Amino acid sequence: MRTVSVPFAYMPLVDAAPAIIAEEMGFAASEGISLDLIPAPSWSSVRDMLAFGRVDAAHLLSPVPVAMAMGLGGVTTPVSAVSVLSVNGNVLGVGRELEARLRAIGFAFDFADPVKAADALASVRSAKLVFGVPFPFSMHVELLRYWCERTAIGADGFEIRTVPPPLMADALAAGDVDAFCVGEPWGSFAVEQGAGALLLPGNAIWQFAPEKVMAVRSDWAETEPDLLGRLMRAVWHAGRWLSRPENRSTAGEILSRGAFLDVSADLIDRALTGHVAVSSQGEIRHVENFLCFHTGGASFPWRSQAKWIANRLSGAHHLGDEISLDAAARVFRSDLYRAHLQDTAADLPGASEKLEGAIRHPTAVASTKGGLSLLPDAFFDGAIFDPTGLK
Amino acid sequence: MVAHLTIVVVEEDRDRAIAIVDALKESADCEVFVIGNSSGLARKIAAHTPDIVLIDVDNPTRDMLEELTLASGPLERPVAMFVSSAAGNLAQAAVEAGVSAYVVDGLSPARIKPVIDTAIARFRMVRQMRTELAETRRALEERKVIDRAKGLLMKTKGIDEDAAYALLRKIAMDRGRRVADVAEALVTAAGLLG
């Protein structure tokens, strides 16, 4: 079989692992493809490389394809999210100034309770809390807004600014931002640098949040179905490999290489194992399902997840009724996922939508192989999002 | 007469910034502002209410500009990335040359074109220089490694420099690898064993 090279753009983050592992552990080769992995300096750059055809596939923030379909942001080339690369994995943290104030009131940095954390933050703030995030269309923004609006921080009590994670420590030191929400390894990096302390894992706000997706141009998906299938299967196998605990240290070693993340394997292991150091004082917290690549059907692109995102974006950007949320949510291609993974060991769910937030315990659901169990997906406030009836 | 264009260039390197500003001023009737520091970038740009914003594609602070594309952002007028305006093929050339341009909605392509053309030419030149510099640096690094490998061979095998180099080249040819790679492997191995 002739090997076809597929250019793939990514940001050097722990959650780019399925693409990196697909190439490095030979899952791509066994599908007769090789991934030409191209690291990008910014999310705009990843998006543009994909939109302009410099690459055929990309590691993207899950809200980006949805936002593009709604006409938000700079580029509106139709893009399809063919699978979810990772679920959860973000951390919220505070700079040294806020950390000191929180410690002064005896806050324990339990890295678990979003209501207590918000109460504590609200009680020590002197003005609006300014959070730095990597990109305006991101799960980071959505989680922050959801949490702030429903806690003591309040809808008017915060502001969100875009700060590239490598510049976050400087932005904290300069007082441009007070706190941040970033993906790994940047949270652990901030802790290592002594730039601040971690307050909450992202999944304390939403237990099963689609974080990154694998995106392709929709026209490419149409014209290259065979190549797309091979790419999706390779990445799916990589996700399954990553979900096995015995592979974590190998994964950490590979990701830590100079060509990929170029940070120590120890820092990466924190995200892969869910054993997170929350402060430079060495306080370690364990988080269940801190970052998922495969377990609980993690890579399935649920239409209901996309609808939740579309609904939130529509509210935040005051979009009128003329923009169809249902159409925007169709960029999560559960149809392509089914079509290309049906002949693998993937256990496909019977439905493509679920009530987001309704699962409180691991729950067996109808699936093609009968063995799929979904992980808890509750929102911290107990709300349930019903995707039916959204236009 | 049409009012002149306001252009913001985001560039940290002073010399590069000056070169770009000079080129832009020659190409169009425009006022150009340079912003070097990334702190509060979106707000600083918005303060100039620019018609066009130019930034290096490789600049990580580009994501801060994305906020400008939101009408509810700090800039009242929504800004689109150049690609979505009329002259689409120019955008691709721009990205390939290493510049991203953000243009205020509704600005006519005829007014944008000379600016973007100039920016493309200028950024392409800069990118080429940067590539050449990186290559020179790499060649220099490789020569250093080869010298060290030669030194190791001369010492351990008691041969002269020419023989050491001939040996490296022979191994490289036999293995189908570059001399620099063989030298690198030798230096690494020697480091481990020593």
Side-chain angles (χ1 to χ4, degrees):
Chain A
M1 192 159 37
R2 202 172 61 89
T3 301
V4 184
S5 175
V6 179
F8 192 113
Y10 73 102
M11 283 291 272
L13 295 168
V14 177
D15 56 26
I20 294 169
I21 292 300
E23 176 60 18
E24 294 298 302
M25 293 305 295
F27 297 114
S30 55
E31 289 288 342
I33 57 172
S34 74
L35 300 188
D36 177 12
L37 296 164
I38 301 168
S42 64
W43 284 114
S44 333
S45 178
V46 174
R47 178 202 55 200
D48 296 350
M49 281 197 258
L50 182 65
F52 301 153
R54 167 73 184 84
V55 297
D56 291 330
H59 164 235
L60 262 189
L61 297 151
S62 61
V64 169
V66 180
M68 288 169 84
M70 297 169 86
L72 292 167
V75 180
T76 51
T77 312
V79 155
S80 292
V82 294
S83 68
V84 173
L85 284 177
S86 62
V87 162
N88 302 335
N90 288 330
V91 293
L92 275 70
V94 293
R96 282 159 68 173
E97 167 77 30
L98 276 179
E99 181 190 358
R101 282 196 232 163
L102 287 169
R103 289 206 188 273
I105 60 161
F107 183 69
F109 284 90
D110 66 349
F111 205 53
D113 188 333
V115 177
K116 268 193 202 152
D119 286 343
L121 263 186
S123 75
V124 300
R125 71 178 157 196
S126 43
K128 267 190 183 186
L129 290 168
V130 182
F131 290 93
V133 297
F135 202 64
F137 306 106
S138 59
M139 195 47 72
H140 312 74
V141 169
E142 300 311 326
L143 293 175
L144 271 179
R145 287 187 42 237
Y146 192 91
W147 173 61
C148 289
E149 287 167 6
R150 287 161 180 76
T151 57
I153 295 169
D156 299 324
F158 71 102
E159 202 176 300
I160 295 177
R161 286 189 199 148
T162 306
V163 179
L167 306 177
M168 201 67 83
D170 289 344
L172 286 164
D176 286 343
V177 297
D178 309 310
F180 55 88
C181 181
V182 292
E184 286 293 285
W186 293 109
S188 294
F189 192 73
V191 167
E192 281 310 286
Q193 283 189 317
L198 304 184
L199 200 61
L200 290 171
N203 68 349
I205 296 166
W206 185 10
Q207 284 181 299
F208 201 77
E211 171 57 34
K212 301 290 171 6
V213 294
M214 177 158 75
V216 301
R217 275 181 315 286
S218 301
D219 61 352
W220 187 83
E222 291 298 319
T223 52
E224 299 284 359
D226 175 61
L227 212 48
L228 175 62
R230 293 198 239 169
L231 172 66
M232 290 177 69
R233 288 190 292 273
V235 171
W236 180 82
H237 278 286
R240 187 172 65 161
W241 183 90
L242 278 161
S243 73
R244 298 190 181 124
E246 68 269 24
N247 294 331
R248 281 176 190 153
S249 56
T250 311
E253 287 297 331
I254 293 173
L255 293 177
S256 74
R257 287 183 200 157
F260 303 122
L261 271 62
D262 201 17
V263 297
S264 80
D266 161 62
L267 229 54
I268 295 170
D269 283 345
R270 298 182 192 179
L272 296 176
T273 60
H275 290 284
V276 181
V278 298
S279 75
S280 44
Q281 303 179 9
E283 295 155 297
I284 311 274
R285 308 280 182 254
H286 179 68
V287 182
E288 219 38 66
N289 303 321
F290 178 78
L291 170 63
C292 301
F293 296 111
H294 178 79
T295 317
S299 61
F300 188 79
W302 293 90
R303 283 271 154 83
S304 44
Q305 293 172 331
K307 279 191 182 171
W308 184 85
I309 293 168
N311 193 40
R312 297 289 300 168
L313 287 174
S314 171
H317 298 288
H318 313 291
L319 302 180
D321 292 340
E322 67 273 18
I323 291 189
S324 161
L325 302 185
D326 184 57
R330 281 174 196 283
V331 300
F332 268 43
R333 301 295 296 271
S334 36
D335 56 328
L336 292 176
Y337 189 95
R338 289 179 192 286
H340 291 296
L341 292 175
Q342 61 174 353
D343 295 329
T344 65
D347 203 352
L348 305 167
S352 294
E353 293 199 341
K354 58 186 169 90
L355 290 172
E356 295 295 333
I359 305 171
R360 301 296 154 92
H361 309 285
T363 304
V365 293
S367 65
T368 50
K369 308 226 164 27
L372 183 62
S373 178
L374 301 183
L375 292 176
D377 68 353
F379 293 99
F380 81 96
D381 63 342
I384 290 173
F385 173 73
D386 184 350
T388 53
L390 272 194
K391 286 286 173 285
Chain B
M1 204 196 122
V2 203
H4 64 190
L5 292 168
T6 304
I7 304 174
V8 167
V9 176
V10 183
E11 175 58 65
E12 239 170 324
D13 184 318
R14 255 189 77 82
D15 294 340
R16 279 182 63 184
I18 289 168
I20 293 162
V21 170
D22 289 348
L24 286 172
K25 285 197 165 157
E26 268 172 40
S27 75
D29 177 20
C30 60
E31 197 172 357
V32 188
F33 300 95
V34 175
I35 299 179
N37 190 333
S38 69
S39 174
L41 187 61
R43 272 168 301 140
K44 283 187 198 160
I45 292 174
H48 292 294
T49 55
D51 299 297
I52 299 177
V53 183
L54 298 171
I55 183 169
D56 190 322
V57 168
D58 290 333
N59 192 330
T61 58
R62 253 195 82 193
D63 283 345
M64 296 168 117
L65 267 64
E66 190 67 18
E67 288 180 7
L68 299 178
T69 65
L70 304 171
S72 54
L75 190 66
E76 286 304 316
R77 304 176 294 171
V79 168
M81 231 196 90
F82 187 55
V83 65
S84 46
S85 83
N89 54 341
L90 255 188
Q92 190 139 1
V95 167
E96 276 161 16
V99 55
S100 14
Y102 292 79
V103 179
V104 164
D105 265 357
L107 199 60
S108 85
R111 299 196 61 203
I112 301 167
K113 197 173 179 314
V115 173
I116 304 294
D117 280 342
T118 309
I120 287 173
R122 186 50 62 174
F123 274 80
R124 191 175 282 152
M125 216 155 83
V126 166
R127 175 160 280 212
Q128 201 175 344
M129 272 162 55
R130 217 194 283 158
T131 316
E132 277 165 14
L133 193 69
E135 271 165 19
T136 314
R137 214 172 269 156
R138 193 167 52 232
L140 214 65
E141 272 313 304
E142 288 187 349
R143 200 166 308 151
K144 260 193 236 161
V145 173
I146 292 170
D147 282 345
R148 284 171 66 195
K150 277 197 296 196
L152 284 165
L153 287 174
M154 287 158 68
K155 205 166 140 194
T156 50
K157 302 194 77 127
I159 52 178
D160 66 12
E161 192 176 346
D162 287 348
Y165 187 68
L167 186 59
L168 276 178
R169 206 174 44 193
K170 183 178 177 331
I171 297 170
M173 279 168 79
D174 289 350
R175 303 273 163 92
R177 293 175 59 189
R178 294 166 61 240
V179 173
D181 293 338
V182 172
E184 171 99 56
L186 181 66
V187 170
T188 308
L192 281 171
L193 296 170

